[in-house]
C-alpha cells in the first residue's frame, strides 16, 4: 500500500516520531501528500515536537529568546509557538549542540580513560544548562551591570531569583557546564603566558631560549634572536606569510599570551560574561589575541572591562541560602557525583 493513502493523523504521527527537523523536511519532500501534511495547520505541532526531540527543552529556549528588559528574567514566559519562534529555537539549539560535542573533550581532558560520548539524557542536560546560563548572561551581563553595582543586595537578589528556580542538581549541572566554558576560555581563547610558553616549547623543542612576552614590541631583538624575523607583523616576510596562511598564533607567539597567573585569572573572569554563542565564535574564528580583542570591543563596551562574570558568585550565594556549601557542590561536580555526567 502506498503511504500516500494513509490518513492524515497517521502521517502526522510519522512526522512526530522523527528525531530532528532535517528529517521532517526531508520526508516532506518525498511526496505531495507528505508535503501537504507538513505544510498544513499541523506544521507547528510537527515542528515543535521534532525541535523538542532535537534541541529540547524547548521551554528553556523560549525563556531565553523571549527575554527582554520589560520583565525580570525569573518570571516564566508562556508564548504561543510560531514559525519565527521555531527559527530562533533552531539557531539557539544548534549552539547548544556544539557544547554537547565540546563537553566530553574538556570534561575528561586528561582523564582519557573516562572519556566517552554523552548519553541522550546527558546531552539534554548540557543543552538545558546552556540555555539557562545563556539567559543568565543575557539578563545580567549587560551595560547596566557595571562593576560597582555587582554586590548591591537588591542586584544580588535579582540574580539569585533566577537561580532559585532550579533544583540543586540542576544548579550543579549549570556549574559543570560553566566550568567547561571556563576551560575553553582559559586554554583555547585566552591562553596564559605560561601556557603559550609550554606550547611553544613543545612545538619548537630545538629553540634553546624560552619565549618572551611582548618585549620585542618595544625592543626588537637582534636578528640572531630566537624568534625568526618573519614573525614580526611589520616585516615583509610576515606579510607574505599572512597572505598565504591562516592567521596563526605562531607568527608572533610572544604577543599571544594573556598574562601571568593573577592577570590571566581576571581576564578569564571578564571574558566569561560573553554568552555561549559568542564564546564558540571566538574559539572557532578568532585564533589571534588581536582578533579576540577587536571582537570584544565590538560586542561590548567600557562596562565589560575589569568586571568579572557573576554566575559563580550568585550560585555560591544561592547554595548558601539553601544551607549548603559551594565548596561541597564544586567537589561533587569535580568527583562526578553531580553535574551533567554525574550519577543520578
Ligand atoms: C518583552 O516581553 C514581553 C513579555 O514576553 C512582551 O509582551 C513584549 O512585547 C516584549 N517587548 C519587546 C519590546 O519586545
Ligand atoms: C540589564 O540588566 C538589568 C539589571 O540586571 C536588567 O534589569 C535588565 O533587564 C537587563 N537588560 C536587558 C536588556 O536584559
Ligand atoms: C521561578 O521563580 C518565580 C518567583 O521567584 C516564580 O514566579 C516562577 O514561577 C518560578 N518558575 C519556576 C519554573 O519555578
Ligand atoms: C566560585 O565561587 C566559589 C565560592 O565563592 C570560589 O571558592 C571559587 O573559587 C569560584 N570559582 C572561580 C573559578 O572563581
Amino acid at each position: 500500500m502506498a503511504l500516500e493513502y494513509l490518513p492524515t493523523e497517521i502521517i502526522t504521527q510519522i512526522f512526530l516520531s522523527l528525531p530532528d527537523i532535517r528529517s521532517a523536511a526531508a520526508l516532506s519532500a518525498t511526496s505531495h501528500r507528505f508535503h501537504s501534511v507538513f505544510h498544513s495547520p499541523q506544521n507547528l505541532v510537527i515542528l515543535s515536537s521534532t525541535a523538542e526531540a532535537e534541541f529540547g527543552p524547548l521551554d528553556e529556549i523560549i525563556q531565553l529568546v523571549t527575554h527582554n528588559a520589560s520583565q525580570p528574567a525569573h518570571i516564566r514566559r508562556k508564548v504561543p509557538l510560531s514559525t519565527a519562534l521555531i527559527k530562533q529555537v533552531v539557531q539557539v539549539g544548534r549552539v547548544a549542540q556544539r557544547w554537547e560535542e565540546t563537553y566530553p573533550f574538556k570534561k575528561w581532558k586528561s582523564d582519557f580513560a573516562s572519556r566517552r560520548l554523552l548519553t541522550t539524557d546527558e546531552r539534554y542536560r548540557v543543552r538545558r544548562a546552556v540555555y539557562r546560563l545563556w539567559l543568565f548572561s543575557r539578563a545580567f551581563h549587560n551595560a547596566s551591570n557595571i562593576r560597582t553595582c555587582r554586590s548591591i543586595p537588591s542586584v544580588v537578589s535579582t540574580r539569585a531569583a533566577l537561580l532559585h528556580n532550579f533544583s540543586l542538581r540542576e544548579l550543579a549541572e549549570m556549574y559543570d557546564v560553566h566550568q567547561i566554558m571556563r576551560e575553553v576560555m582559559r586554554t583555547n581563547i585566552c591562553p596564559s603566558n605560561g601556557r603559550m610558553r609550554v606550547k611553544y616549547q613543545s612545538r619548537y623543542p630545538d629553540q634553546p631560549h624560552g619565549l618572551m612576552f611582548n618585549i620585542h614590541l618595544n625592543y626588537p631583538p637582534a636578528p640572531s634572536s630566537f624568534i625568526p624575523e618573519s614573525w614580526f607583523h611589520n616585516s615583509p616576510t610576515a606579510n607574505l606569510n599572512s597572505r598565504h596562511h591562516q592567521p596563526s598564533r605562531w607568527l608572533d607567539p610572544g604577543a599571544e599570551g594573556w598574562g601571568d597567573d593573577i592577570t590571566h585569572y581576571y581576564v578569564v573572569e571578564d571574558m566569561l560574561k560573553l554568552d555561549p554563542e559568542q564564546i564558540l565564535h571566538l574559539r572557532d574564528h578568532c585564533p589571534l589575541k588581536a582578533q579576540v580583542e577587536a571582537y570584544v570591543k565590538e560586542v561590548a563596551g567600557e562596562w565589560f572591562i575589569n568586571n568579572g562574570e557573576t554566575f559563580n558568585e550568585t550560585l555560591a550565594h544561592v547554595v548558601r541560602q539553601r544551607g549548603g556549601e559551594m565548596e561541597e557542590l564544586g567537589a561533587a561536580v569535580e568527583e562526578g557525583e553531580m553535574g551533567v555526567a554525574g550519577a543520578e
Side-chain angles (χ1 to χ4, degrees):
M1 178 181 96
L3 290 172
E4 316 282 299
Y5 300 110
L6 289 173
T8 302
E9 299 77 63
I10 304 273
I11 294 185
T12 303
Q13 282 307 316
I14 295 176
F15 272 113
L16 290 180
S17 64
L18 294 175
D20 54 43
I21 288 182
R22 200 167 293 150
S23 331
L27 181 61
S28 82
T30 58
S31 79
H32 282 301
R33 180 92 174 93
F34 280 95
H35 184 268
S36 73
V37 172
F38 186 61
H39 293 277
S40 72
Q42 295 297 323
N43 177 259
L44 281 178
V45 179
I46 293 171
L47 281 180
S48 73
S49 149
T50 47
E52 179 69 45
E54 190 175 4
F55 306 116
L58 229 51
D59 191 45
E60 297 296 333
I61 305 184
I62 288 172
Q63 302 314 308
L64 168 64
V65 301
T66 59
H67 168 74
N68 65 39
S70 75
Q71 233 183 14
H74 64 268
I75 305 291
R76 304 290 287 190
R77 288 164 294 279
K78 278 225 164 305
V79 247
L81 225 45
S82 63
T83 317
L85 192 54
I86 293 276
K87 262 201 187 116
Q88 289 178 289
V89 164
V90 172
Q91 264 169 14
V92 165
R94 292 219 198 288
V95 172
Q97 284 180 326
R98 285 159 69 207
W99 283 106
E100 287 173 29
E101 287 158 22
T102 303
Y103 183 95
F105 288 98
K106 292 296 176 190
K107 181 71 181 178
W108 300 294
K109 190 175 178 166
S110 44
D111 184 8
F112 306 119
S114 304
R115 194 183 291 169
R116 57 174 174 78
L117 294 176
L118 298 183
T119 64
T120 307
D121 286 349
E122 288 166 346
R123 287 172 170 274
Y124 178 90
R125 293 201 284 265
V126 170
R127 293 195 301 268
R128 182 170 63 188
V130 167
Y131 305 143
R132 289 171 172 179
L133 287 168
W134 198 337
L135 174 59
F136 185 94
S137 196
R138 182 169 287 187
F140 306 123
H141 295 153
N142 68 25
S144 50
N145 286 267
I146 52 171
R147 174 185 165 74
T148 44
C149 74
R150 60 188 294 134
S151 314
I152 297 172
S154 66
V155 174
V156 175
S157 66
T158 312
R159 292 200 306 259
L162 177 58
L163 299 191
H164 269 307
N165 275 345
F166 312 131
S167 72
L168 197 64
R169 278 210 162 268
E170 292 168 352
L171 290 174
E173 290 160 14
M174 289 172 78
Y175 176 77
D176 192 14
V177 172
H178 198 250
Q179 291 290 87
I180 300 290
M181 293 175 179
R182 187 183 295 276
E183 236 357 71
V184 168
M185 191 57 84
R186 216 172 61 76
T187 60
N188 303 114
I189 300 172
C190 301
S192 66
N193 291 355
R195 189 177 172 81
M196 284 306 292
R197 220 175 271 126
V198 168
K199 289 198 125 187
Y200 175 83
Q201 271 152 13
S202 66
R203 201 175 169 107
Y204 303 101
D206 301 337
Q207 299 291 350
H209 308 281
L211 192 55
M212 285 187 291
F213 287 88
N214 293 323
I215 291 171
H216 60 276
L217 291 180
N218 300 325
Y219 309 103
S224 62
S225 154
F226 69 95
I227 299 181
E229 206 214 324
S230 63
W231 285 8
F232 294 101
H233 286 315
N234 57 2
S235 88
T237 33
N239 289 340
L240 254 182
N241 279 345
S242 59
R243 237 182 286 138
H244 295 292
H245 299 289
Q246 285 282 41
S248 156
R249 281 191 175 145
W250 306 109
L251 282 175
D252 192 3
E256 293 297 329
W258 289 76
D260 281 315
D261 305 351
I262 301 206
T263 317
H264 182 242
Y265 173 83
Y266 285 109
V267 163
V268 171
E269 287 294 295
D270 279 356
M271 294 289 287
L272 278 172
K273 293 197 298 303
L274 295 174
D275 70 36
E277 185 174 30
Q278 293 170 326
I279 295 173
L280 288 181
H281 175 86
L282 288 178
R283 184 195 66 181
D284 298 338
H285 301 291
C286 300
L288 300 182
K289 184 176 177 182
Q291 293 173 319
V292 173
E293 287 171 335
Y295 179 81
V296 169
K297 211 168 184 175
E298 188 189 316
V299 301
E302 273 300 305
W303 65 277
F304 196 85
I305 312 297
N306 211 351
N307 182 15
E309 68 88 21
T310 51
F311 169 73
N312 189 54
E313 67 183 46
T314 309
L315 176 63
H317 175 83
V318 165
V319 169
R320 268 197 308 277
Q321 281 186 325
R322 292 189 189 174
E325 285 296 335
M326 182 64 195
E327 285 68 23
E328 275 170 32
L329 183 132
V333 169
E334 190 95 342
E335 286 153 25
E337 290 155 20
M338 283 179 121
V340 165
E344 273 298 284

